[in-house]
């Protein structure tokens, strides 16, 4: 068979690249170790899902049964833990500035006596918003407990008036809000942060590695031999060079997804196979953009810099933490060129909503479009090679 | 005299290092342009601080006066915007899937009648969990309306029983409370995140700059030049101190702009005392510089330095305790985070700058930074010594002979000989 005697140039380049990896396995090993480290780091760092038992304090000007009661109620929640009782506001403020506590509740003098006399003692809640997450969570728990305490007293009054339980509830809480957090019932931080940050880190590795290996061929003047191996076919040369890495990093991404949805039990409404497809397209689009960067910027150091800035900016521009819709319009358009942005949108469709393919494919299309930059890069590099040959 | 000599040596190293920095365009770019560019980018992205007018849908099956009032109030909150009123939940779910809305408020059929009959009425809220800021806006907007609406209904019900005025107030909330959100009252994203990131920008640009300088030097195999010839067998610490001094002086104006001017310019919180901040930032800068010099000893290529930089930046943001609270980190990672000056720097700066803390309040961070300064100063010295010693050993013999000859001859040609010795040195290395 003629194919056997003349293997496809793509196969030749893939073989050549595999041999190169075999000779210098350190790069790939280093990057893989980085990816594995980040998975372990993030999953163990946020193992609580939502911060629990945040330290708070009570400032007790009253010194009555009330503070003890509040303390018990607060400690019974999973959100906060009373770690100190202070005598003055100033002490609590200093504790806050020392970061010993994230919030405190101040009980005024004579609060208990006022309460018994129906004089509505005024409580004050303080929360530290300079640390957004713990500050808001501790505030939420404090406010809930205050409302519950209020409600309990209200119940007691009505009970003494001789109302029955049903009437009392209708009076104390006329409207009940049933809140449903779609596909994340525990309001867990992990699936929300990690499913975007970790693909982002993999993306950073892929982009820099791609720029490095392609740039290295030019720098070490092995580009001629490389192109010869591909029988002068630039597209085959590039594709053959990149495919082993596409495979390897897709594999890492898929393994990551198995950890997320298998062992960490994040919600997955859609099919796992669509996530596999998402990972492969994501890695491929990043490689394509990275090749384009290499083709456009001749200085490899500069190209690596640009590639790194591009992939780290993607964390912000993906909009998982701060929504893109709240950014200035110019930046909103700018977010289109970041594969991580489309990865995030597609992931939400598949995992959180279990949307049909007709829904998430449009989000994947921009990534496919970014893959097409691969051919533009090929053309540019081809021209560069031709110019290089003719000058020689 | 020894001291004077030492100072002179330090000054020489200072000049050499300054020349090296000036010769590298990339490093100049990082030290002076990137440090200013990053804050500008953050400022542009997070300009709006909060998520306002999040689109939601209201599915009203009760079609009552009460549910319409509720929906009207939802629309009036700064957080929410009732953009759709689909006829069924199925339609609303589809809107949610299409990402046109980030929340659904559902009134069941008997909402109005329940309220009219003085029973408990139920409202269902569905939050989009794709981003926590959406969740926060939808949840807090709906909660605020709920509380308001409850009070309205309760007042009505009491009025029906003939209880009005202040008596109602007392019964409704026997324990009223005021809430005070300290430091950033608007709970804005920018005022919370950016002050910490500014410190990280200082830390990381130094890391990248120093890393690139030594990576490039090593790529060019000029490692020996990290130490000027005259000092090679003398104190390593003069070299280390001299280099650190260079970075410290270069970064003084940078820190002044990034950490003092930019918060004011962008309207970020800045209630800290300038004196306290300067006192705190001194050990931070020193610890960072020595940390970076230590780390740079392991960077042998310019490009791996860049990769390390970006990778480390992401990890350091999460280790700092700004995003995920320090009190809730596993012990291992918390102790791990203490190894990086950025953790203490970000914590201390946020507390002094945004919360008006004093140096006493951040004494743990302050002392840790001095300890890190000492520790990394020693490691820098040891690593520099090891590296140069190893390099020296290779070409030592040849060099030694040439040098001795050059010194002995003591002629006007001495410089020429020395230069020849240099060349031999380079050849030996290659």
């Amino acid at each position: 068979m003629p194919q056997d005697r003349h293997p496809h140039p793509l196969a030749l380049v893939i073989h050549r690249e595999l041999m190169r990896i075999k000779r210098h396995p350190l790069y790939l090993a280093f990057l893989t170790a980085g990816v594995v480290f980040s998975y372990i780091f993030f999953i163990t760092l946020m193992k609580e899902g939502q911060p629990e038992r945040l330290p708070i304090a009570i400032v007790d000007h009253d010194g009555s049964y009330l503070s003890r009661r509040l303390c018990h109620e607060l400690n019974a929640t999973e959100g906060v833990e009373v770690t100190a009782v202070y005598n003055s506001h100033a002490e609590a403020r200093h504790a806050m500035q020392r970061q010993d506590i994230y919030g405190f509740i101040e009980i005024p003098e004579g609060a208990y006596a006022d309460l018994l006399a129906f004089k509505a003692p005024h409580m004050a809640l303080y929360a530290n918003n300079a640390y957004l997450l713990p500050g808001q969570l501790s505030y939420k728990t404090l406010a809930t407990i205050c409302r519950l305490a209020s409600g309990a007293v209200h119940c007691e009054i009505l009970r003494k008036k001789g109302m029955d339980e049903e009437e009392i509830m209708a009076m104390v809480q006329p409207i009940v809000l049933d809140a449903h957090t779609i596909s994340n019932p525990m309001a867990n931080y992990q699936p929300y942060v990690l499913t975007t940050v970790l693909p982002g880190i993999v993306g950073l590795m892929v982009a820099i590695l791609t720029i490095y290996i392609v740039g290295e061929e030019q720098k070490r003047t092995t580009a001629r031999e490389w192109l010869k191996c591909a029988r002068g076919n630039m597209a085959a040369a590039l594709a053959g060079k990149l495919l082993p890495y596409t495979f390897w990093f897709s594999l890492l991404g898929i393994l990551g997804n198995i950890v997320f949805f298998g062992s960490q039990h994040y919600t997955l409404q859609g099919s796992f196979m669509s996530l596999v497809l998402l990972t492969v397209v994501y890695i491929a689009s990043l490689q394509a953009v990275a090749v384009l960067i290499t083709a456009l910027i001749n200085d490899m150091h500069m190209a690596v810099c640009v590639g790194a800035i591009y992939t780290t900016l993607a964390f912000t521009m993906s909009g998982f933490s701060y929504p893109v819709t709240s950014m200035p319009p110019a930046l909103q358009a700018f977010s289109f060129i970041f594969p991580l942005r489309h990865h995030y949108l597609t992931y939400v469709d598949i995992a959180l909503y279990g949307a049909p393919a007709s829904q998430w494919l449009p989000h994947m299309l921009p990534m496919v479009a970014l893959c097409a930059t691969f051919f533009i890069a090929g053309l540019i590099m081809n021209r560069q090679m031709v110019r290089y040959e003719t000058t020689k | 005299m020894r001291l004077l000599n030492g100072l002179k040596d330090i000054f020489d190293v200072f000049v050499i290092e300054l020349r090296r920095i000036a010769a590298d365009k990339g490093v100049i770019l990082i030290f002076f342009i990137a440090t200013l560019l990053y804050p500008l980018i953050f400022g542009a992205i997070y300009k709006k601080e909060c998520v306002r007018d999040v689109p939601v849908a209201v599915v009203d099956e009760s079609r009552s006066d009460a549910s319409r009032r509720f929906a009207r109030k939802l629309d009036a909150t700064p957080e929410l915007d009732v953009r759709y009123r689909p006829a069924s939940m199925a339609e609303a779910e589809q809107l949610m899937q299409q990402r046109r809305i980030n929340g659904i408020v559902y009134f069941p059929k008997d909402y109005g009648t329940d309220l009219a009959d003085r029973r408990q009425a139920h409202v269902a809220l569905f939050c989009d969990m794709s981003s926590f800021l959406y969740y926060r806006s939808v949840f807090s907007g709906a909660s605020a309306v709920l509380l308001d609406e409850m009070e309205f209904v309760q007042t009505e019900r009491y009025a029906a029983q003939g209880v009005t005025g202040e008596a109602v107030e007392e019964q409704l909330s026997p324990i009223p409370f005021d809430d005070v959100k300290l430091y950033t009252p608007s709970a804005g994203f920018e005022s919370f995140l950016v002050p910490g990131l500014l410190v990280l920008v200082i830390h990381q640009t130094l890391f990248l700059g120093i890393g690139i300088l030594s990576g490039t030097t090593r790529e060019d195999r000029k490692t020996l030049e990290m130490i000027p010839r005259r000092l090679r067998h003398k104190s390593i610490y003069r070299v280390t101190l001299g280099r650190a001094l260079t970075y410290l002086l270069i970064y003084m104006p940078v820190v002044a702009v990034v950490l003092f001017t930019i918060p004011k310019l962008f309207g970020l919180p800045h209630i800290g005392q300038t004196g306290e901040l300067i006192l705190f930032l001194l050990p931070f800068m020193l610890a960072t510089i020595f940390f970076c010099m230590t780390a740079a000893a392991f960077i042998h290529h310019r490009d791996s330095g860049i990769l390390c930089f970006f990778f480390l930046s992401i990890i350091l943001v999460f280790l700092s305790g700004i995003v995920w609270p320090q009190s809730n980190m596993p012990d291992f990672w918390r102790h791990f985070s203490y190894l990086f000056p950025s953790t203490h720097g970000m914590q201390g700066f946020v507390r002094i700058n945004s919360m008006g803390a004093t140096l006493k309040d951040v004494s743990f961070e302050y002392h840790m930074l001095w300890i890190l300064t000492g520790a990394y100063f020693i490691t820098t010295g040891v690593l520099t010594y090891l590296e140069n010693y190893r390099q020296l050993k290779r070409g030592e013999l040849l060099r030694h002979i040439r040098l001795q000859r050059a010194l002995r001859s003591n002629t006007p040609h001495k410089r020429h000989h020395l230069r020849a010795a240099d060349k031999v040195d380079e050849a030996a290395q290659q």
Side-chain angles (χ1 to χ4, degrees):
Chain A
M1 293 231 301
Q3 283 98 328
D4 281 344
R5 264 177 284 132
H6 302 287
H8 195 272
L10 192 64
L12 284 172
V13 182
I14 289 178
H15 182 254
R16 176 175 176 273
E17 191 57 34
L18 288 176
M19 285 300 118
R20 283 174 78 95
I21 295 174
K22 205 174 153 195
R23 239 179 300 137
H24 301 284
L26 213 61
Y27 288 131
L28 204 57
F30 181 65
L31 293 182
T32 309
V35 171
V36 172
F37 170 82
S38 351
Y39 271 92
I40 295 172
F41 170 73
F42 280 105
I43 287 176
T44 50
L45 183 78
M46 300 188 173
K47 67 171 191 279
E48 281 179 17
Q50 200 180 66
E52 286 169 6
R53 316 212 69 78
L54 292 162
I56 56 153
I58 293 179
V59 177
D60 190 7
H61 293 297
D62 194 30
S64 64
Y65 162 76
L66 199 62
S67 67
R68 251 172 300 146
R69 182 66 199 274
L70 263 177
C71 198
H72 284 308
E73 298 289 343
L74 286 167
N75 281 342
T77 64
E78 60 177 15
V80 296
E81 186 168 2
V82 179
T83 52
V85 177
Y86 297 111
N87 292 320
S88 73
H89 181 85
E91 272 178 73
R93 276 293 281 268
H94 275 292
M96 190 105 109
Q97 280 163 345
R98 277 198 308 273
Q99 184 84 312
D100 289 348
I101 52 171
Y102 291 110
F104 60 89
I105 179 166
E106 201 167 337
I107 305 171
E109 207 181 328
Y112 192 50
D114 280 355
L115 187 63
L116 293 180
F118 298 116
K119 276 191 190 157
H122 241 77
M123 303 282 176
L125 305 187
Y126 294 84
N128 182 356
N129 264 357
Y131 290 82
L132 206 57
L133 176 64
Q136 292 203 323
L137 281 176
S138 49
Y139 167 73
K140 207 171 129 189
T141 315
L142 281 173
T144 309
I145 288 294
C146 272
R147 287 209 187 93
L148 284 179
S150 227
V153 176
H154 195 179
C155 276
E156 202 57 37
I157 298 169
L158 294 179
R159 211 167 280 141
K160 280 178 184 149
K161 281 188 176 171
M163 280 187 168
D164 66 34
E165 285 302 309
E166 205 178 322
E167 279 175 319
I168 290 174
M169 284 323 285
M171 209 61 192
V172 173
Q173 198 182 13
I175 308 169
V176 182
L177 184 75
D178 305 320
H180 304 270
T181 48
I182 295 171
S183 293
N184 191 350
M186 313 296 287
N188 186 346
Y189 253 67
Q190 268 197 25
Y192 145 72
V193 175
L194 303 196
T195 48
T196 302
V197 166
L198 286 170
I201 289 179
V202 176
L204 169 70
M205 305 278 186
V206 170
I208 294 195
L209 184 73
T210 307
I211 295 172
Y212 187 73
I213 54 167
V214 176
E216 201 188 25
E217 297 274 9
Q218 293 174 326
K219 191 178 166 191
R220 299 238 164 116
T221 60
T222 46
R224 259 174 112 187
E225 181 240 317
W226 170 39
L227 206 57
K228 216 168 135 192
C229 186
R231 309 245 169 83
N233 184 344
M234 198 55 180
L238 273 175
K241 196 160 185 60
L242 299 183
L243 276 175
Y245 302 102
T246 319
F247 176 77
W248 180 245
F249 283 100
S250 299
L251 195 69
L252 285 179
I254 292 163
L255 282 177
N257 279 337
I258 291 175
V259 172
F260 287 161
F261 300 104
S263 75
Q264 294 298 111
H265 304 292
Y266 301 170
T267 311
L268 175 60
Q269 302 264 16
S271 79
F272 190 78
M273 282 323 282
S274 33
L275 279 182
V276 169
L277 178 69
L278 170 66
T279 307
V280 176
V281 174
Y282 168 67
I283 302 278
S285 66
L286 265 169
Q287 284 183 313
V289 177
V291 174
L292 185 68
I293 292 173
T294 328
L296 289 177
I297 302 169
N298 276 324
D299 179 10
M300 193 174 89
H301 295 322
M302 204 60 197
V304 168
C305 258
V306 171
I309 290 172
Y310 168 72
T311 38
T312 34
L313 213 53
F315 287 99
T316 312
M317 296 307 296
S318 71
F320 84 98
S321 63
Y322 186 78
V324 169
T325 44
S326 298
M327 293 177 193
L331 282 175
Q332 292 189 23
F334 186 54
S335 75
F336 181 84
I337 62 163
F338 295 97
L340 194 59
R341 163 91 183 132
H342 308 296
H343 180 281
Y344 160 71
L345 290 175
T346 321
Y347 155 77
V348 170
D349 274 344
I350 295 173
L352 298 190
Y353 291 113
S358 60
Q359 177 66 45
W360 53 260
L361 272 179
H363 288 310
M364 209 184 261
L365 278 181
M367 278 195 274
V368 179
L370 286 173
C371 282
T373 55
F374 171 81
F375 296 102
I376 303 171
L379 279 176
I380 295 172
M381 286 177 74
N382 216 357
R383 267 222 336 251
Q384 283 171 351
M385 284 305 288
V386 170
R387 203 180 303 146
Y388 177 72
E389 296 287 323
T390 46
T391 48
K392 261 207 155 177
Chain B
M1 200 58 207
R2 254 188 81 118
L3 187 74
L4 215 64
N5 265 338
L7 284 178
K8 194 181 171 314
D9 289 343
I10 288 176
F11 181 73
D12 284 350
V13 177
F14 172 75
V15 173
I16 292 170
E17 192 68 21
L18 214 56
R19 283 211 189 108
R20 275 204 322 150
I21 293 169
D24 197 320
K25 250 187 256 158
V27 176
I28 294 278
L29 205 72
I30 290 161
F31 280 177
F32 297 108
I33 307 296
T35 43
L36 295 181
L37 209 61
Y38 270 107
L40 287 178
I41 293 176
F42 294 140
I45 290 176
Y46 301 129
K47 203 173 67 190
K48 285 196 188 163
E49 289 258 28
C50 291
V51 184
R52 290 275 184 245
D53 280 331
V54 173
V56 293
V58 168
V59 182
D60 187 0
E61 286 191 351
S62 89
R63 292 166 206 281
S64 59
D65 186 38
S67 63
R68 274 194 294 273
R69 190 174 56 232
F70 199 112
R72 217 163 43 231
K73 284 182 184 169
L74 282 175
D75 202 27
T77 59
E79 288 99 345
L80 302 177
D81 172 19
V82 178
R83 206 163 291 175
Y84 297 92
R85 289 169 191 276
S88 68
M89 268 311 277
E91 253 177 80
E93 271 168 38
Q94 206 163 11
L95 285 170
M96 190 87 134
Q97 271 189 5
Q98 289 164 358
R99 217 54 64 66
R100 299 220 192 134
I101 51 169
N102 300 106
I104 304 170
V105 181
Y106 172 71
F107 297 98
K109 215 170 231 151
D110 43 12
Y111 177 79
T113 46
D114 274 346
L115 280 183
D117 293 350
R118 293 200 203 166
R119 281 194 300 266
Q120 265 190 323
H122 289 257
V123 186
L125 174 71
F126 298 86
C127 304
D128 177 9
M129 294 301 283
S130 63
S131 172
F132 258 60
L133 286 189
Y134 287 141
Y135 165 61
R136 205 179 83 189
S137 289
V138 172
F139 195 80
S140 66
S143 304
V145 173
L146 177 80
L147 289 175
D148 190 59
E149 189 62 13
M150 279 220 292
E151 206 182 308
F152 183 84
V153 175
Q154 284 168 330
T155 317
E156 247 183 5
R157 285 182 187 177
Y158 269 112
Q161 290 180 354
V163 187
T164 51
E166 235 173 71
V168 179
E169 283 284 304
E170 274 165 19
Q171 299 219 349
L172 282 187
S173 54
I175 314 178
F177 64 88
D178 298 321
D179 46 1
V180 186
K181 312 265 179 72
L182 291 169
Y183 312 124
T184 56
S186 64
F189 206 72
E190 188 185 24
S191 0
F192 134 75
L193 192 62
V194 175
L197 287 185
L198 291 180
V199 179
L200 194 67
V201 164
I202 299 283
H203 185 274
Q204 289 302 88
T205 47
L206 262 172
F207 180 83
L208 187 60
I210 296 177
I212 283 185
L213 271 179
S214 42
T216 318
T217 318
R218 287 201 189 91
E219 271 185 7
D220 299 344
R221 301 198 183 194
K222 278 189 208 149
T223 322
L224 276 174
E225 284 204 354
M226 296 198 104
I227 295 185
R229 175 140 299 157
R230 196 162 53 76
L231 290 173
R232 229 168 259 168
H233 295 289
K234 288 192 190 162
S235 167
I236 282 282
Y237 290 112
R238 288 178 195 173
V239 180
T240 315
L241 274 179
R243 289 181 61 203
L245 192 67
T246 322
Y247 300 124
L248 189 66
L249 288 181
I250 284 186
Y251 256 68
M252 273 185 183
V254 177
V255 167
V257 172
V258 174
L259 297 186
F260 290 89
T261 315
I262 283 186
K264 287 188 186 129
L265 218 60
F266 286 5
L268 300 172
H270 55 275
I271 58 173
Q273 298 279 327
T274 311
E276 304 263 327
L277 266 181
I278 291 173
L279 278 179
F280 178 79
L281 287 173
L282 179 72
F284 168 68
M285 287 308 295
L286 287 175
T288 305
I289 289 168
F290 289 127
F291 165 74
C292 295
M293 281 163 76
T294 302
F298 298 100
I299 293 169
H300 288 267
H301 295 285
R302 209 182 158 110
D303 303 313
S304 53
I306 290 172
L307 180 65
C308 283
F309 161 78
F310 282 101
F311 182 63
L312 194 66
S313 304
I314 300 159
I315 301 288
L316 287 184
V317 170
F318 283 89
L319 274 181
S320 70
I322 302 282
V323 181
W324 187 260
Q326 267 183 327
S327 56
N328 293 66
M329 280 182 200
D331 282 343
F332 175 78
W333 291 123
R334 202 177 61 244
H335 291 129
F336 182 68
S337 79
Y338 290 161
L339 295 177
F340 299 97
S342 67
T343 309
H344 308 295
M346 286 163 88
Q347 285 285 344
F349 180 75
V350 167
R351 269 187 257 157
I352 297 177
N353 175 64
S354 313
M355 297 165 57
T358 56
L359 215 51
K360 217 177 95 201
D361 294 325
V362 295
S363 67
F364 172 73
E365 280 75 14
Y366 185 69
H367 288 126
M368 276 308 285
L369 283 173
W370 278 119
I371 292 171
L372 287 183
T373 305
Y376 286 126
F377 174 61
I378 294 169
T379 50
T380 310
V382 169
L383 285 168
T384 318
Y385 176 75
L386 281 179
E387 193 173 2
N388 284 284
Y389 178 72
R390 227 179 286 141
Q391 295 265 331
L392 265 176
K393 244 170 104 182
R394 266 183 238 159
E396 197 174 36
L397 207 63
L398 264 172
R399 237 193 66 76
H400 188 71
I401 298 166
R402 294 278 166 149
L403 203 66
Q404 286 303 314
R405 198 179 297 164
L407 287 172
R408 230 179 293 135
S409 64
N410 203 17
T411 57
H413 299 296
K414 188 174 159 187
R415 288 181 86 190
H416 172 76
H417 280 287
L418 272 172
R419 221 174 289 145
D422 250 3
K423 274 181 190 155
V424 172
D425 203 16
E426 261 170 38
Q429 277 176 40
Q430 278 166 16

